[in-house]
Amino acid sequence: MSATLFSPLQLGSLELANRIVISPMCQYSAIDGSASAWHRTHIGNLSLSGAALLLLEATAVEPEGRITPACLGLYSDDNEHALARVLDEVRQFSDMPIGMQLNHAGRKASSEPPWRGGTLIAAADGGWRTLAPSPIAQRDDEAAPAELDHVGLRRIREAFAASARRAARIGLSAIELHFAHGYLLHQFLSPLSNQRTDEYGGLLENRMRFPLEVFDAVRAAWPAGKPLGVRVSATDWVAGGWDVEETIELARRLKQLGCDWIDVSTGGLSPLQKIPLGPHYQIPFAKAVREATGMTTMGVGLVTQPADADKVIRSGEADLVALARAVLWDPRWPWHAAAELGASVTAPPQYWRSEPRGVSKVFSGASFGQR
Ligand SMILES: Cc1cc2nc3c(=O)[nH]c(=O)nc-3n(C[C@H](O)[C@H](O)[C@H](O)COP(=O)(O)O)c2cc1C
């Protein structure tokens, strides 16, 4: 029988109950990188959704790697303790596996949150000098980042590994490395942002070098068997930029290094991008990577309807679907999908009686006494 949206999947040593993943979503609500009361509310809410895996937001491996001053980090003992406290509380009520996306924002750091325009914050206004493979600004009207030297590269590689060790200590179930959306590791991959003349720039082999070194360092720091994946942007949507053929080669190399899944997104590197937005617009890229490499693949982007998500899995376009906006809009999306597709999800017993008329047996293990 072919896989369905509600069939289990093994990711390394982690068994996922179904194919629905909550995509990483920045909350811009941390204090000096530490999780806040908002995170308890937000993670607690999504942990009751019945999805198979919740991936926490892009989390910075050093302070300069935060997209905004309010981004989550996992670079200090305070960060680690704050997140551990939140997770301990969430886990009292949910056994949903929770993973984390690790990131360095590179030249897209030191920015305002989207609801304040997302523009670069100058050092005089509480921002900081950003770092990148080459001193090329994202936009013409922005200050150029500082070019990373070999000392800086080693520091960042070690920061990724150190954050992975912290993630293991607080019991996170999976790590996804952010190679997408124009952040530092994507900046190394794309010839538009990487114009180095050393061994980290130029040919594809050289542009992949630093991201692959980071992957290797994290794989060594993260317990064997625990799943480690990568989110890529399969294309810059700009002529002469990073493209799907290069993505496939990167995926092949990651597979050899022990990568458990590829999460296929697109774009985010250049303001010149032209994205043909529409339902499932990125799924063909996931399919191309899956077919070429045989890797476990996560599809993402405007997947909103349960029957369509099911079709993505059944037709073998992807092994997992990641949802972002649809699950913020409807945090019980997996419950409703299970009801529509005749499947079941795990939900807290306090909510078992919520099944409307005509819907039954959506909650696995639910039983009701009559008094
Ligand atoms: C509020 C919000 C925050 C996001 N933050 C991140 C992030 O931290 N890391 C990331 O890779 N993508 C991030 N994204 C992109 C989503 O993970 C997802 O790839 C994108 O929204 C497309 O999926 P959707 O159509 O299901 O929303 C964010 C999206 C939203 C809406």
Side-chain angles (χ1 to χ4, degrees):
M1 210 188 83
S2 66
T4 68
L5 189 62
F6 285 94
S7 53
L9 181 77
Q10 197 72 31
L11 262 194
S13 57
L14 182 66
E15 172 150 343
L16 301 183
N18 57 53
R19 307 305 183 93
I20 306 165
V21 174
I22 301 182
S23 205
M25 282 183 274
C26 289
Q27 296 300 299
Y28 316 104
S29 300
I31 299 153
D32 292 331
S34 292
S36 68
W38 172 255
H39 291 90
R40 191 171 303 118
T41 300
H42 170 69
I43 300 169
N45 176 29
L46 296 179
S47 74
L48 305 180
S49 69
L53 175 66
L54 165 56
L55 286 175
L56 300 182
E57 63 197 270
T59 302
V61 299
E62 65 173 13
E64 297 77 12
R66 291 173 299 169
I67 303 167
T68 73
C71 278
L72 196 63
L74 195 51
Y75 47 75
S76 71
D77 290 349
D78 282 352
N79 296 163
E80 186 179 329
H81 295 150
L83 190 57
R85 270 196 303 278
V86 167
L87 294 176
D88 284 349
E89 290 195 12
V90 168
R91 287 186 184 119
Q92 291 175 42
F93 308 110
S94 168
D95 61 3
M96 175 190 280
I98 299 177
M100 163 176 277
Q101 188 184 55
L102 289 180
N103 187 38
H104 193 297
R107 69 182 186 179
K108 285 177 82 172
S110 184
S111 297
E112 295 282 8
W115 55 75
R116 274 196 242 119
T119 48
L120 214 60
I121 307 173
D125 300 323
W128 57 90
R129 179 90 192 271
T130 63
L131 304 166
S134 302
I136 306 168
Q138 164 102 357
R139 314 182 70 93
D140 292 343
D141 56 352
E142 288 177 350
E147 179 174 320
L148 277 161
D149 59 15
H150 286 205
V151 174
L153 292 180
R154 189 171 335 116
R155 187 193 69 241
I156 291 173
R157 196 166 54 227
E158 283 167 9
F160 270 95
S163 293
R165 282 190 288 273
R166 291 185 186 278
R169 273 205 294 272
I170 60 176
L172 285 164
S173 300
I175 289 180
E176 179 176 88
L177 298 180
H178 206 345
F179 282 25
H181 300 172
Y183 297 112
L184 184 71
L185 299 175
H186 185 180
Q187 290 160 29
F188 271 89
L189 295 171
S190 176
L192 302 177
S193 45
N194 180 351
Q195 294 179 5
R196 296 174 75 98
T197 52
D198 64 0
E199 69 271 32
Y200 292 103
L203 295 173
L204 173 63
E205 187 64 26
N206 285 355
R207 283 181 278 120
M208 291 194 300
R209 191 179 309 279
F210 185 61
L212 291 174
E213 284 178 2
V214 167
F215 183 90
D216 225 14
V218 172
R219 186 68 279 181
W222 182 236
K226 272 209 178 197
L228 173 62
V230 167
R231 171 167 271 196
V232 291
S233 279
T235 173
D236 287 338
W237 297 114
V238 179
W242 177 256
D243 61 22
V244 69
E245 284 77 29
E246 291 183 313
T247 302
I248 287 169
E249 184 51 30
L250 174 70
R252 285 202 182 101
R253 299 292 296 273
L254 287 166
K255 187 180 183 184
Q256 288 165 1
L257 294 176
C259 182
D260 294 294
W261 79 87
I262 295 280
D263 174 3
V264 186
S265 187
T266 66
L269 187 101
S270 166
L272 302 176
Q273 66 186 13
K274 296 261 179 303
I275 304 184
L277 270 183
H280 295 209
Y281 69 107
Q282 296 174 150
I283 299 295
F285 294 101
K287 182 170 184 246
V289 173
R290 188 173 187 265
E291 282 176 0
T293 65
M295 287 190 77
T296 299
T297 305
M298 198 181 289
V300 63
L302 289 176
V303 179
T304 58
Q305 303 304 313
D308 293 345
D310 191 43
K311 204 162 135 240
V312 168
I313 305 298
R314 281 180 190 274
S315 64
E317 290 175 289
D319 301 284
L320 293 156
V321 289
L323 305 178
R325 289 163 290 186
V327 92
L328 286 188
W329 181 250
D330 173 11
R332 308 280 184 262
W333 192 98
W335 297 13
H336 304 149
E340 189 177 319
L341 300 173
S344 61
V345 288
T346 303
Q350 291 94 329
Y351 289 177
W352 280 351
R353 290 172 65 186
S354 64
E355 285 176 343
R357 257 176 196 282
V359 174
S360 72
K361 304 209 168 35
V362 166
F363 303 132
S364 47
S367 64
F368 308 98
Q370 288 297 323
R371 273 177 69 94

